[in-house]
Amino acid sequence: MAIVPSGDRSGSAPRRRPSPAAAPPAPGPEPRLVDPTACDPGGREDSLRPRRLDDYIGQRELKQVLRIAVEATRARGEALDHVLLYGPPGLGKTTMALVLAEELGVRCRITSAPALERPRDIVGLLVNLQPHEVLFIDEIHRLNRVAEEILYPAMEDFRLDLTVGQGAGARTRSLPIVPFTLVGATTRAGSLSSPLRDRFGLIQRLEFYDLEDLQAIVQRAAALLAIDLEPAAALEVARRCRGTPRIANRLLRRVRDVASVAGHGRIGPELVDEALRLHRVDGRGLDASDRRLLTLLLESHGGGPVGLETLAAALGEDPTTLETVVEPFLLQLGFLQRTSRGRMLTAAGRAHLDGDGGERAA
Ligand code: ADE
């Protein structure tokens, strides 16, 4: 039996959502309903994730917007409007989807677009949702067209339009599904088709974290991992984690390894420096890939401009990875510039290679 989406609604404007078919969970304190088997079971990152908005450090604007949306939604007894989160990797998009589910008192189902290859993959997820649950789709810009078209009526009207059978015997069936919230995450908001983007009621960008928030995140993680870390040591990790909590937590674990092998109890900033030099993370948090990119620009292209494809080929990197993973923080630091003629090394980038980067890289 073939199941395919029926018709092409790709250009139609999103309509208002109907009222939900089932009662929302009762307000007030609720048990944790995030399904531990559905989200990074036993994963290292999982143990450090904040569970509630109050525990989530940084991203103030995002939290404010979502807090209001959650409160209003709960008061109305509806499913939260669909949310699109975009921004560089490691800034907490998955964490925020889990936090939203927790705040709503529902389960969060986690998947990613490459896992939704066949129509039945997405249909299976949608028909098994409970009312008001959160469906998180990572890398949503990678959804194929068929999966997207299944999502349109599902997001708009909580309905699946399916063609059952093939050829002359094919029939169209419309199947109601429960009201749910789609949380989509992407590092490339610009790659989303506009009909899909238009169906999200809330579209929010995650920003790199500032030093103060990163220091607080490192201190929180150290407490959870029972690591005795001086505040100055937490600040040193914060300085060197590319504005990214996921990297901060990874560096913290590496620092803990060095401290335990060296027999240190309390960890100070000198030990952080020693451990991170060992891992070739320099004083501004640049790693070997970052420095290779900047050095290539300087030494082989006189500082640029150079096209992304040329840089990627020379570095043996995928251009998309370079653009979405490596470059954003270099742009944020002001070490790199994107111009219409290509990438350019800035004066600050040059100074970093000459001084701090050269000295402090392993
Ligand atoms: N761990 C990772 N990201 C975090 C955040 N934004 N707040 C608190 N802990 C975190």
Side-chain angles (χ1 to χ4, degrees):
M1 180 173 74
I3 299 178
V4 294
S6 162
D8 181 4
R9 291 156 302 275
S10 54
S12 62
R15 290 199 297 270
R16 286 178 63 102
R17 329 178 75 205
S19 53
E30 63 275 331
R32 290 207 53 226
L33 291 173
V34 173
D35 178 358
T37 61
C39 51
D40 189 17
R44 288 179 184 285
E45 246 189 281
D46 214 36
S47 62
L48 300 179
R49 287 188 204 279
R51 305 285 177 200
R52 306 297 301 243
L53 276 175
D54 282 342
D55 306 324
Y56 194 109
I57 297 162
Q59 308 291 347
R60 280 171 193 77
E61 248 183 72
L62 170 70
K63 280 191 298 188
Q64 199 180 2
V65 166
L66 294 180
R67 198 185 291 281
I68 291 169
V70 164
E71 228 179 284
T73 299
R74 287 192 65 130
R76 286 196 298 267
E78 292 178 355
L80 179 69
D81 217 344
H82 306 301
V83 182
L84 179 66
L85 301 174
Y86 69 98
L91 299 189
K93 296 186 282 292
T94 309
T95 301
M96 188 51 91
L98 291 165
V99 165
L100 279 175
E102 189 79 29
E103 294 290 339
L104 293 163
V106 297
R107 216 165 34 164
C108 182
R109 300 287 188 171
I110 296 197
T111 188
S112 76
L116 303 174
E117 207 179 308
R118 300 160 307 175
R120 69 165 185 253
D121 298 325
I122 181 102
V123 169
L125 275 170
L126 290 168
V127 298
N128 283 306
L129 289 171
Q130 296 297 310
H132 302 178
E133 278 186 352
V134 171
L135 173 62
F136 176 74
I137 304 183
D138 203 6
E139 299 188 77
I140 195 160
H141 61 277
R142 294 177 64 185
L143 271 185
N144 63 45
R145 203 177 66 88
V146 173
E148 267 199 28
E149 286 181 4
I150 292 172
L151 269 183
Y152 297 153
M155 291 173 76
E156 254 176 81
D157 296 328
F158 305 121
R159 191 185 84 227
L160 294 177
D161 289 342
L162 304 170
T163 302
V164 182
Q166 277 174 325
R171 282 161 296 129
T172 303
R173 283 269 172 82
S174 193
L175 192 75
I177 56 169
V178 297
F180 72 103
T181 299
L182 177 65
V183 179
T186 179
T187 51
R188 311 181 52 147
S191 300
L192 233 66
S193 74
S194 48
L196 181 58
R197 198 173 45 240
D198 290 348
R199 285 167 169 85
F200 287 95
L202 294 152
I203 300 182
Q204 294 289 316
R205 182 184 154 81
L206 278 85
E207 307 287 347
F208 285 114
Y209 291 68
D210 65 26
L211 269 185
E212 197 183 324
D213 288 338
L214 289 166
Q215 186 183 17
I217 288 170
V218 172
Q219 280 172 322
R220 177 180 176 275
L224 289 171
L225 296 169
I227 299 173
D228 189 3
L229 192 73
E230 289 176 16
L235 183 61
E236 194 57 31
V237 175
R239 275 201 194 101
R240 296 164 79 155
C241 69
R242 308 173 107 255
T244 307
R246 182 187 293 161
I247 298 179
N249 290 338
R250 192 195 302 155
L251 296 182
L252 180 63
R253 290 178 200 275
R254 299 292 69 80
V255 171
R256 174 175 66 172
D257 289 348
V258 171
S260 70
V261 169
H264 287 272
R266 191 163 172 75
I267 298 174
E270 303 77 16
L271 194 76
V272 172
D273 183 51
E274 185 189 324
L276 298 190
R277 273 171 187 258
L278 183 68
H279 287 279
R280 309 192 62 204
V281 175
D282 74 24
R284 297 296 296 274
L286 270 54
D287 62 16
S289 309
D290 300 314
R291 286 191 302 272
R292 272 194 329 131
L293 171 63
L294 298 182
T295 305
L296 178 73
L297 264 173
L298 179 65
E299 292 180 359
S300 304
H301 301 277
V306 190
L308 175 70
E309 304 282 334
T310 307
L311 284 175
L315 294 167
E317 287 267 16
D318 160 52
T320 305
T321 307
L322 206 57
E323 189 174 30
T324 58
V325 179
V326 181
E327 286 189 348
F329 187 65
L330 297 174
L331 291 163
Q332 162 94 358
L333 281 178
F335 287 1
L336 186 74
Q337 236 182 342
R338 277 183 192 153
T339 72
S340 55
R341 290 178 306 139
R343 273 56 175 172
M344 293 190 70
L345 183 67
T346 63
R350 246 174 233 263
H352 183 72
L353 284 181
D354 287 345
D356 185 58
E359 273 168 39
R360 300 185 82 165

PDB file of all heavy atoms in Angstrom, residues 48-50 55-59 90-92 95 209 216-217 220-221 245-246 249, ligand 1:
ATOM      1  N   LEU A  48      23.299  17.199  31.661  1.00  0.00           N
ATOM      2  CA  LEU A  48      23.579  18.599  32.009  1.00  0.00           C
ATOM      3  C   LEU A  48      22.507  19.555  31.487  1.00  0.00           C
ATOM      4  O   LEU A  48      22.564  20.751  31.761  1.00  0.00           O
ATOM      5  CB  LEU A  48      24.952  19.014  31.454  1.00  0.00           C
ATOM      6  CG  LEU A  48      26.143  18.207  31.954  1.00  0.00           C
ATOM      7  CD1 LEU A  48      27.431  18.709  31.312  1.00  0.00           C
ATOM      8  CD2 LEU A  48      26.250  18.276  33.473  1.00  0.00           C
ATOM      9  N   ARG A  49      21.555  19.031  30.765  1.00  0.00           N
ATOM     10  CA  ARG A  49      20.547  19.927  30.182  1.00  0.00           C
ATOM     11  C   ARG A  49      19.671  20.522  31.268  1.00  0.00           C
ATOM     12  O   ARG A  49      19.202  19.794  32.150  1.00  0.00           O
ATOM     13  CB  ARG A  49      19.599  19.142  29.262  1.00  0.00           C
ATOM     14  CG  ARG A  49      20.181  18.716  27.947  1.00  0.00           C
ATOM     15  CD  ARG A  49      19.040  18.126  27.107  1.00  0.00           C
ATOM     16  NE  ARG A  49      19.505  17.201  26.107  1.00  0.00           N
ATOM     17  CZ  ARG A  49      20.006  17.538  24.930  1.00  0.00           C
ATOM     18  NH1 ARG A  49      20.145  18.809  24.637  1.00  0.00           N
ATOM     19  NH2 ARG A  49      20.375  16.628  24.058  1.00  0.00           N
ATOM     20  N   PRO A  50      19.384  21.828  31.184  1.00  0.00           N
ATOM     21  CA  PRO A  50      18.375  22.376  32.090  1.00  0.00           C
ATOM     22  C   PRO A  50      17.005  21.804  31.723  1.00  0.00           C
ATOM     23  O   PRO A  50      16.757  21.513  30.554  1.00  0.00           O
ATOM     24  CB  PRO A  50      18.427  23.884  31.798  1.00  0.00           C
ATOM     25  CG  PRO A  50      19.039  24.010  30.449  1.00  0.00           C
ATOM     26  CD  PRO A  50      19.938  22.819  30.261  1.00  0.00           C
ATOM     27  N   ASP A  55      15.749  27.286  34.781  1.00  0.00           N
ATOM     28  CA  ASP A  55      17.123  26.764  34.881  1.00  0.00           C
ATOM     29  C   ASP A  55      17.948  27.072  33.633  1.00  0.00           C
ATOM     30  O   ASP A  55      19.158  26.859  33.615  1.00  0.00           O
ATOM     31  CB  ASP A  55      17.116  25.224  35.038  1.00  0.00           C
ATOM     32  CG  ASP A  55      16.248  24.768  36.183  1.00  0.00           C
ATOM     33  OD1 ASP A  55      16.213  25.481  37.197  1.00  0.00           O
ATOM     34  OD2 ASP A  55      15.595  23.710  36.044  1.00  0.00           O
ATOM     35  N   TYR A  56      17.274  27.489  32.584  1.00  0.00           N
ATOM     36  CA  TYR A  56      17.932  27.721  31.294  1.00  0.00           C
ATOM     37  C   TYR A  56      18.614  29.085  31.356  1.00  0.00           C
ATOM     38  O   TYR A  56      17.961  30.115  31.502  1.00  0.00           O
ATOM     39  CB  TYR A  56      16.881  27.666  30.185  1.00  0.00           C
ATOM     40  CG  TYR A  56      17.416  27.553  28.773  1.00  0.00           C
ATOM     41  CD1 TYR A  56      17.287  26.384  28.040  1.00  0.00           C
ATOM     42  CD2 TYR A  56      18.033  28.636  28.150  1.00  0.00           C
ATOM     43  CE1 TYR A  56      17.754  26.280  26.733  1.00  0.00           C
ATOM     44  CE2 TYR A  56      18.510  28.539  26.846  1.00  0.00           C
ATOM     45  CZ  TYR A  56      18.364  27.358  26.146  1.00  0.00           C
ATOM     46  OH  TYR A  56      18.834  27.271  24.861  1.00  0.00           O
ATOM     47  N   ILE A  57      19.926  29.085  31.250  1.00  0.00           N
ATOM     48  CA  ILE A  57      20.701  30.330  31.385  1.00  0.00           C
ATOM     49  C   ILE A  57      20.867  30.968  29.998  1.00  0.00           C
ATOM     50  O   ILE A  57      21.147  30.270  29.017  1.00  0.00           O
ATOM     51  CB  ILE A  57      22.079  30.019  32.012  1.00  0.00           C
ATOM     52  CG1 ILE A  57      21.888  29.465  33.429  1.00  0.00           C
ATOM     53  CG2 ILE A  57      22.981  31.254  32.016  1.00  0.00           C
ATOM     54  CD1 ILE A  57      23.095  28.738  33.984  1.00  0.00           C
ATOM     55  N   GLY A  58      20.730  32.299  29.942  1.00  0.00           N
ATOM     56  CA  GLY A  58      20.961  33.032  28.683  1.00  0.00           C
ATOM     57  C   GLY A  58      19.748  33.023  27.769  1.00  0.00           C
ATOM     58  O   GLY A  58      18.656  32.605  28.163  1.00  0.00           O
ATOM     59  N   GLN A  59      19.929  33.501  26.531  1.00  0.00           N
ATOM     60  CA  GLN A  59      18.853  33.569  25.519  1.00  0.00           C
ATOM     61  C   GLN A  59      17.625  34.256  26.109  1.00  0.00           C
ATOM     62  O   GLN A  59      16.492  33.746  26.003  1.00  0.00           O
ATOM     63  CB  GLN A  59      18.501  32.158  25.000  1.00  0.00           C
ATOM     64  CG  GLN A  59      19.659  31.328  24.523  1.00  0.00           C
ATOM     65  CD  GLN A  59      20.303  31.848  23.234  1.00  0.00           C
ATOM     66  OE1 GLN A  59      19.750  32.692  22.555  1.00  0.00           O
ATOM     67  NE2 GLN A  59      21.490  31.370  22.924  1.00  0.00           N
ATOM     68  N   GLY A  90      24.863  23.699  18.799  1.00  0.00           N
ATOM     69  CA  GLY A  90      25.363  23.670  20.174  1.00  0.00           C
ATOM     70  C   GLY A  90      24.817  24.751  21.080  1.00  0.00           C
ATOM     71  O   GLY A  90      25.225  24.866  22.238  1.00  0.00           O
ATOM     72  N   LEU A  91      23.884  25.580  20.579  1.00  0.00           N
ATOM     73  CA  LEU A  91      23.391  26.697  21.398  1.00  0.00           C
ATOM     74  C   LEU A  91      22.142  26.346  22.211  1.00  0.00           C
ATOM     75  O   LEU A  91      21.665  27.174  22.982  1.00  0.00           O
ATOM     76  CB  LEU A  91      23.106  27.929  20.522  1.00  0.00           C
ATOM     77  CG  LEU A  91      24.302  28.506  19.759  1.00  0.00           C
ATOM     78  CD1 LEU A  91      23.935  29.830  19.111  1.00  0.00           C
ATOM     79  CD2 LEU A  91      25.521  28.692  20.669  1.00  0.00           C
ATOM     80  N   GLY A  92      21.601  25.134  22.037  1.00  0.00           N
ATOM     81  CA  GLY A  92      20.511  24.726  22.928  1.00  0.00           C
ATOM     82  C   GLY A  92      19.149  24.608  22.266  1.00  0.00           C
ATOM     83  O   GLY A  92      18.131  24.765  22.942  1.00  0.00           O
ATOM     84  N   THR A  95      17.646  21.324  23.579  1.00  0.00           N
ATOM     85  CA  THR A  95      17.357  21.549  24.996  1.00  0.00           C
ATOM     86  C   THR A  95      16.085  22.372  25.142  1.00  0.00           C
ATOM     87  O   THR A  95      15.224  22.062  25.977  1.00  0.00           O
ATOM     88  CB  THR A  95      18.539  22.283  25.657  1.00  0.00           C
ATOM     89  OG1 THR A  95      19.702  21.483  25.489  1.00  0.00           O
ATOM     90  CG2 THR A  95      18.301  22.523  27.136  1.00  0.00           C
ATOM     91  N   TYR A 209      26.283  32.856  23.293  1.00  0.00           N
ATOM     92  CA  TYR A 209      26.131  33.280  24.692  1.00  0.00           C
ATOM     93  C   TYR A 209      27.242  34.252  25.063  1.00  0.00           C
ATOM     94  O   TYR A 209      28.375  34.124  24.581  1.00  0.00           O
ATOM     95  CB  TYR A 209      26.197  32.062  25.622  1.00  0.00           C
ATOM     96  CG  TYR A 209      25.005  31.137  25.507  1.00  0.00           C
ATOM     97  CD1 TYR A 209      24.788  30.381  24.348  1.00  0.00           C
ATOM     98  CD2 TYR A 209      24.098  30.998  26.547  1.00  0.00           C
ATOM     99  CE1 TYR A 209      23.693  29.540  24.230  1.00  0.00           C
ATOM    100  CE2 TYR A 209      23.002  30.151  26.439  1.00  0.00           C
ATOM    101  CZ  TYR A 209      22.802  29.428  25.282  1.00  0.00           C
ATOM    102  OH  TYR A 209      21.727  28.588  25.163  1.00  0.00           O
ATOM    103  N   ALA A 216      28.270  31.069  34.065  1.00  0.00           N
ATOM    104  CA  ALA A 216      27.218  30.486  34.912  1.00  0.00           C
ATOM    105  C   ALA A 216      26.885  29.060  34.449  1.00  0.00           C
ATOM    106  O   ALA A 216      26.662  28.167  35.282  1.00  0.00           O
ATOM    107  CB  ALA A 216      25.972  31.369  34.872  1.00  0.00           C
ATOM    108  N   ILE A 217      26.871  28.845  33.140  1.00  0.00           N
ATOM    109  CA  ILE A 217      26.576  27.498  32.603  1.00  0.00           C
ATOM    110  C   ILE A 217      27.681  26.518  33.020  1.00  0.00           C
ATOM    111  O   ILE A 217      27.407  25.388  33.434  1.00  0.00           O
ATOM    112  CB  ILE A 217      26.426  27.555  31.059  1.00  0.00           C
ATOM    113  CG1 ILE A 217      25.109  28.240  30.701  1.00  0.00           C
ATOM    114  CG2 ILE A 217      26.509  26.166  30.434  1.00  0.00           C
ATOM    115  CD1 ILE A 217      24.945  28.583  29.225  1.00  0.00           C
ATOM    116  N   ARG A 220      27.335  25.747  36.715  1.00  0.00           N
ATOM    117  CA  ARG A 220      26.202  24.837  36.945  1.00  0.00           C
ATOM    118  C   ARG A 220      26.613  23.403  36.584  1.00  0.00           C
ATOM    119  O   ARG A 220      26.354  22.464  37.326  1.00  0.00           O
ATOM    120  CB  ARG A 220      25.016  25.297  36.092  1.00  0.00           C
ATOM    121  CG  ARG A 220      23.818  24.410  36.175  1.00  0.00           C
ATOM    122  CD  ARG A 220      22.668  24.928  35.294  1.00  0.00           C
ATOM    123  NE  ARG A 220      21.553  24.003  35.323  1.00  0.00           N
ATOM    124  CZ  ARG A 220      21.460  22.940  34.539  1.00  0.00           C
ATOM    125  NH1 ARG A 220      22.403  22.677  33.658  1.00  0.00           N
ATOM    126  NH2 ARG A 220      20.421  22.129  34.640  1.00  0.00           N
ATOM    127  N   ALA A 221      27.281  23.249  35.420  1.00  0.00           N
ATOM    128  CA  ALA A 221      27.699  21.911  34.983  1.00  0.00           C
ATOM    129  C   ALA A 221      28.715  21.324  35.959  1.00  0.00           C
ATOM    130  O   ALA A 221      28.658  20.140  36.302  1.00  0.00           O
ATOM    131  CB  ALA A 221      28.282  21.982  33.578  1.00  0.00           C
ATOM    132  N   PRO A 245      27.467  26.546  24.718  1.00  0.00           N
ATOM    133  CA  PRO A 245      27.400  25.682  25.905  1.00  0.00           C
ATOM    134  C   PRO A 245      27.844  24.244  25.655  1.00  0.00           C
ATOM    135  O   PRO A 245      28.502  23.652  26.502  1.00  0.00           O
ATOM    136  CB  PRO A 245      25.922  25.729  26.296  1.00  0.00           C
ATOM    137  CG  PRO A 245      25.430  27.016  25.768  1.00  0.00           C
ATOM    138  CD  PRO A 245      26.192  27.264  24.502  1.00  0.00           C
ATOM    139  N   ARG A 246      27.487  23.693  24.504  1.00  0.00           N
ATOM    140  CA  ARG A 246      27.880  22.296  24.257  1.00  0.00           C
ATOM    141  C   ARG A 246      29.405  22.157  24.298  1.00  0.00           C
ATOM    142  O   ARG A 246      29.944  21.200  24.838  1.00  0.00           O
ATOM    143  CB  ARG A 246      27.344  21.833  22.898  1.00  0.00           C
ATOM    144  CG  ARG A 246      27.675  20.374  22.604  1.00  0.00           C
ATOM    145  CD  ARG A 246      27.291  19.992  21.188  1.00  0.00           C
ATOM    146  NE  ARG A 246      25.857  20.013  21.017  1.00  0.00           N
ATOM    147  CZ  ARG A 246      25.235  20.090  19.834  1.00  0.00           C
ATOM    148  NH1 ARG A 246      25.941  20.175  18.723  1.00  0.00           N
ATOM    149  NH2 ARG A 246      23.932  20.089  19.766  1.00  0.00           N
ATOM    150  N   ASN A 249      30.745  22.522  27.956  1.00  0.00           N
ATOM    151  CA  ASN A 249      30.618  21.296  28.742  1.00  0.00           C
ATOM    152  C   ASN A 249      31.628  20.242  28.300  1.00  0.00           C
ATOM    153  O   ASN A 249      32.166  19.497  29.119  1.00  0.00           O
ATOM    154  CB  ASN A 249      29.185  20.755  28.656  1.00  0.00           C
ATOM    155  CG  ASN A 249      28.209  21.655  29.404  1.00  0.00           C
ATOM    156  OD1 ASN A 249      28.607  22.410  30.294  1.00  0.00           O
ATOM    157  ND2 ASN A 249      26.943  21.594  29.050  1.00  0.00           N
TER     158      ASN A 249
HETATM  159  N1  ADE B   1      23.702  23.625  29.700  1.00  0.00           N
HETATM  160  C1  ADE B   1      23.767  23.780  28.385  1.00  0.00           C
HETATM  161  N2  ADE B   1      23.095  24.870  28.008  1.00  0.00           N
HETATM  162  C2  ADE B   1      22.592  25.447  29.101  1.00  0.00           C
HETATM  163  C3  ADE B   1      21.821  26.615  29.365  1.00  0.00           C
HETATM  164  N3  ADE B   1      21.450  27.437  28.379  1.00  0.00           N
HETATM  165  N4  ADE B   1      21.496  26.886  30.623  1.00  0.00           N
HETATM  166  C4  ADE B   1      21.899  26.065  31.611  1.00  0.00           C
HETATM  167  N5  ADE B   1      22.618  24.957  31.425  1.00  0.00           N
HETATM  168  C5  ADE B   1      22.981  24.652  30.181  1.00  0.00           C
END
